[in-house]
Amino acid sequence: MKTTIANRHSLVRLGRGLCYALTVVSLTACGGGGSGGGGSSSESAVALKITDENAPAVTRQLLGAARFLPQVPEQLYSISYDVPCDAGGTATSTGDTETQATIKLSNCKPVYDETEKVILNGTLVYHFGSDIYPVSAKISGFSVSDTEYDSSGAQTTQTTLKADGDFISSSETQLSADGRVYFYRDDTANSADNATYDWGFKGYETTLDSSGDGPVNTRGRQNVNSLDGYVGITTGQDLTYGNDSECPLSGQITVDGADGTYLQLDFDGGTTVTVTVNGNADSYDCDDFQSEFAGLAEPLSLQRPLSRSLTRTPTPSPFHR
């Protein structure tokens, strides 16, 4: 089973996909998410107490993760399969059939150009259904580190993506997860593009609408990046989208925290969002909701010119057979 080779385009799509995930329904900007290259624990053992102060951060993390996660199995596969370790390390793919593949990466260093260093590690075990889906991905110690330099050799940008755990895609828009996804970016030239997202999941499921506009139904347990705690998520009414609105037309999501605290989001007509925190409700029009619950930093983009991608010819991916 030959697939799309791991190349720059895949890493670009993944980074831009994360940005889009975190801006869908305009619930968050991609910059200003934090700094520091170390990863925190994948899933906190302590429930988070939801307050008026942390409710915007809880909302951003919840809907950002719900939109981004369904992309993970396909994008990690594309980044990793058949990658050329031209500058050192190894990459092997075994058990290639129409239904399974195992990819092992050890300090694999593909060469894109002289101003960039990429290093890949980890093991990815994939099982595909007879019609592609369901796709089961068992990810162990996966990481991709992408460091860019200017013409003088000074580092300009550091981007890291890590993943561990079990991810099952029932379809292109449905995913369940028990594990962790971590993303970090440090841009020395533009701190507004800096971001850190560290999501842990347990018994987590999310479904997107068919056009990929946003999450329809999300439930399970998720840790909230930077707030050092987890929340439980239920969808009381599926979210619907349309009319080119930046906010869902309808739907209700409830987030349960420690000590009986909770957050509830009610979407109405694509124009009004009611946020209830521990019984206290406030209504926002869509624009005000974006302003209150999102930063104003510039969107995060890995900004990969197509001319800097590998020139090898892609082979068909099992995700599109």
Side-chain angles (χ1 to χ4, degrees):
M1 174 182 62
K2 298 296 287 183
T3 73
T4 304
I5 63 172
N7 57 33
R8 176 57 72 81
H9 294 296
S10 301
L11 189 55
V12 175
R13 288 196 303 271
L14 191 61
R16 289 177 177 167
L18 176 59
C19 176
Y20 179 66
L22 298 172
T23 54
V24 70
V25 197
S26 297
L27 289 175
T28 181
C30 294
S35 61
S40 61
S41 61
S42 62
E43 215 263 337
S44 173
V46 179
L48 175 69
K49 187 173 183 177
I50 298 173
T51 66
D52 289 335
E53 289 73 24
N54 65 27
V58 172
T59 303
R60 291 194 293 267
Q61 297 291 327
L62 162 66
L63 292 180
R67 178 60 184 85
F68 175 61
L69 272 179
Q71 305 176 48
V72 168
E74 178 177 357
Q75 295 297 341
L76 294 192
Y77 194 90
S78 296
I79 289 171
S80 305
Y81 189 86
D82 200 25
V83 60
C85 307
D86 297 325
T90 61
T92 61
S93 178
T94 60
D96 286 8
T97 69
E98 287 297 313
T99 59
Q100 63 180 332
T102 297
I103 304 165
K104 294 184 178 181
L105 304 158
S106 179
N107 291 318
C108 177
K109 301 175 183 178
V111 175
Y112 296 105
D113 60 39
E114 67 279 2
T115 65
E116 182 169 16
K117 293 181 180 178
V118 177
I119 304 174
L120 298 103
N121 282 285
T123 300
L124 304 90
V125 180
Y126 280 78
H127 290 85
F128 298 92
S130 58
D131 189 25
I132 305 174
Y133 296 100
V135 175
S136 171
K138 182 177 288 291
I139 312 298
S140 302
F142 176 85
S143 68
V144 54
S145 172
D146 186 348
T147 307
E148 295 186 61
Y149 303 86
D150 62 21
S151 57
S152 69
Q155 179 178 316
T156 58
T157 305
Q158 171 69 49
T159 304
T160 301
L161 173 70
K162 298 179 181 179
D164 276 284
D166 297 319
F167 302 85
I168 300 175
S169 297
S170 302
S171 69
E172 190 173 357
T173 57
Q174 293 179 295
L175 181 130
S176 60
D178 283 278
R180 175 205 187 193
V181 174
Y182 168 81
F183 181 88
Y184 165 75
R185 177 182 172 89
D186 182 15
D187 189 330
T188 57
N190 185 5
S191 60
D193 275 353
N194 292 350
T196 302
Y197 301 99
D198 193 351
W199 294 319
F201 306 94
K202 186 174 183 179
Y204 180 92
E205 298 179 8
T206 185
T207 301
L208 303 183
D209 79 316
S210 58
S211 62
D213 286 338
V216 170
N217 190 299
T218 299
R219 60 183 181 271
R221 187 162 125 173
Q222 176 185 335
N223 77 319
V224 181
N225 168 240
S226 79
L227 296 180
D228 199 23
Y230 70 82
V231 295
I233 306 161
T234 56
T235 302
Q237 177 186 352
D238 285 359
L239 276 62
T240 62
Y241 302 84
N243 297 340
D244 296 323
S245 173
E246 296 292 338
C247 294
L249 299 179
S250 63
Q252 180 187 86
I253 292 179
T254 300
V255 184
D256 294 309
D259 301 329
T261 58
Y262 74 95
L263 161 69
Q264 183 171 296
L265 304 174
D266 290 276
F267 300 95
D268 184 9
T271 59
T272 304
V273 183
T274 300
V275 181
T276 303
V277 181
N278 302 324
N280 299 315
D282 289 296
S283 293
Y284 302 83
D285 66 30
C286 190
D287 289 340
D288 287 343
F289 180 69
Q290 296 173 43
S291 176
E292 179 72 16
F293 285 78
L296 299 177
E298 290 297 315
L300 170 66
S301 171
L302 295 185
Q303 299 174 349
R304 301 291 191 256
L306 295 181
S307 61
R308 295 178 58 188
S309 65
L310 287 174
T311 57
R312 303 173 67 191
T313 301
T315 50
S317 167
F319 288 91
H320 304 101
R321 68 172 183 249

